[in-house]
Amino acid sequence: MKRVLVAGGRGLLGQSLTGELLRRGWEVWAPGREEMDITRLGEVRRMVKQTRPHVVFNVAAFTDVDGAEEREEEALLVNGLGVRHLALACLEEGEIPLVHLSTDYVFDGEKGSLYGIYDLPRPLNAYGRTKLWGEKALQALSRHYYLVRTSWLFGPGGGHFVGRILEAARQNLAAAPPGKPPAPLRVVDDQYGSPTYTRDLARALADLVETGCWGTYHVTNTGVTTWYGLASRALELAGIPVPVLPVASSEFPLPAQRPRCSALDPFPLRETLGYLLPPWTEALEGYLKEEGQRTPATPSPGRRL
């Protein structure tokens, strides 16, 4: 039986990952921040020594992209220094393999095509800079690592774009006067990426560990869309008759600049696992069905790059 330690196991991805590992019969330790704060080296060392895991997963992160612009030092403690602490503890306890989750936001989005695993990172915002710091710390201290970049997560547990869109649409629907159409939602249509279902990602992470093929990977559901494309498809599948209007990013000025297209090339994921993750449209349908929000809808291919 594999014994694993999951940092951030109570977050959005952490819940799906913990569930996947338990289904495989693995012994899982998923301490909360009060039990292991990864920004504190002593606590990390103590937990790794206590649990003696065969592998460590780090899915803990400071993910407030706009908040990181004003709180970059706080984000760096989690996204950067926390990774260094985990890598050090794994090294000291016999080079325990470390699986670390990073982001598409380490890229600037100006390549004009999918980003490969060895393309040069150039983050546009503080969040991306802190995640890149963590990547470099991992690569400097560990040989036995899986650096996994992903993007646009959704899944059970809430706190993601799909959930917020569905809630906003229901509010607009409820607020509409009798006999009047609901107010439309305005969603950005000039940022491209690959939505990723946490259950699909969790399966791939567990399978990667089984291969023993350390290195860098890009793991997302297949296909590319915009936030507008994702919102439109989610409302269509959920059967919520609220219109969605495509708008430019310039109409929603935010503290953090976003990459125009940060979609990731999965090579060599298929060559390593023997499969790619399903299309994001299928994953979204599965998620909404799981959450009891799926209603019959006309099939749609979604927006592609």
Side-chain angles (χ1 to χ4, degrees):
M1 177 191 295
K2 273 192 169 61
R3 186 169 51 252
V4 301
L5 175 64
V6 181
R10 301 179 188 179
L12 176 62
L13 175 56
Q15 293 177 62
S16 291
L17 177 60
T18 299
E20 175 67 27
L21 300 178
L22 289 171
R23 280 189 292 275
R24 294 178 183 227
W26 297 5
E27 181 182 349
V28 180
W29 291 73
R33 186 175 180 181
E34 68 280 0
E35 300 168 271
M36 184 183 73
D37 182 345
I38 65 171
T39 69
R40 299 178 180 274
L41 179 57
E43 292 185 15
V44 173
R45 280 174 164 157
R46 183 163 53 252
M47 185 60 69
V48 172
K49 186 178 291 291
Q50 173 188 331
T51 57
R52 296 178 295 108
H54 298 108
V55 62
V56 174
F57 290 86
N58 180 38
V59 294
F62 184 107
T63 58
D64 183 352
V65 176
D66 291 312
E69 293 300 306
E70 291 187 354
R71 300 154 57 199
E72 185 167 355
E73 184 174 347
E74 182 181 344
L76 184 60
L77 288 174
V78 179
N79 296 341
L81 200 65
V83 184
R84 190 189 74 166
H85 291 165
L86 288 163
L88 279 170
C90 288
L91 178 65
E92 293 166 353
E93 295 300 318
E95 294 193 290
I96 299 168
L98 175 57
V99 184
H100 171 61
L101 269 290
S102 192
T103 174
D104 57 327
Y105 277 19
V106 298
F107 298 113
D108 65 8
E110 297 302 317
K111 181 182 178 182
S113 59
L114 304 182
Y115 281 95
I117 59 173
Y118 295 128
D119 279 330
L120 183 66
R122 184 179 175 273
L124 298 177
N125 52 49
Y127 168 70
R129 288 193 296 271
T130 62
K131 292 296 287 185
L132 181 57
W133 202 101
E135 288 189 8
K136 291 183 177 295
L138 176 72
Q139 293 165 329
L141 292 168
S142 178
R143 289 187 305 153
H144 301 170
Y145 68 80
Y146 302 85
L147 170 57
V148 177
R149 298 185 182 120
T150 190
S151 64
W152 296 26
L153 296 185
F154 64 88
H160 50 76
F161 175 81
V162 172
R164 290 191 294 270
I165 281 294
L166 295 178
E167 178 59 28
R170 291 192 183 97
Q171 291 177 1
N172 284 15
L173 196 62
K180 299 290 185 180
L185 297 176
R186 299 162 61 82
V187 182
V188 167
D189 194 35
D190 57 3
Q191 295 174 23
Y192 293 83
S194 298
T196 305
Y197 187 21
T198 55
R199 290 205 187 281
D200 290 338
L201 176 56
R203 174 196 171 205
L205 293 177
D207 286 343
L208 266 179
V209 168
E210 298 278 25
T211 69
C213 296
W214 308 309
T216 301
Y217 294 91
H218 288 171
V219 186
T220 68
N221 283 105
T222 53
V224 178
T225 189
T226 65
W227 294 112
Y228 165 78
L230 176 56
S232 299
R233 186 63 174 149
L235 294 182
E236 180 185 6
L237 288 170
I240 303 176
V242 171
V244 185
L245 300 180
V247 300
S249 299
S250 58
E251 295 193 33
F252 286 99
L254 296 169
Q257 184 180 357
R258 268 71 168 176
R260 187 188 70 82
C261 178
S262 55
L264 303 173
D265 185 336
F267 182 82
L269 189 64
R270 188 203 301 271
E271 291 72 16
T272 305
L273 294 184
Y275 67 87
L276 292 178
L277 274 60
W280 69 267
T281 49
E282 292 181 14
L284 179 62
E285 183 172 1
Y287 163 67
L288 293 175
K289 185 175 182 180
E290 178 187 16
E291 294 290 292
Q293 301 185 73
R294 172 76 170 92
T295 60
T298 303
S300 167
R303 284 285 299 275
R304 301 273 177 162
L305 182 63

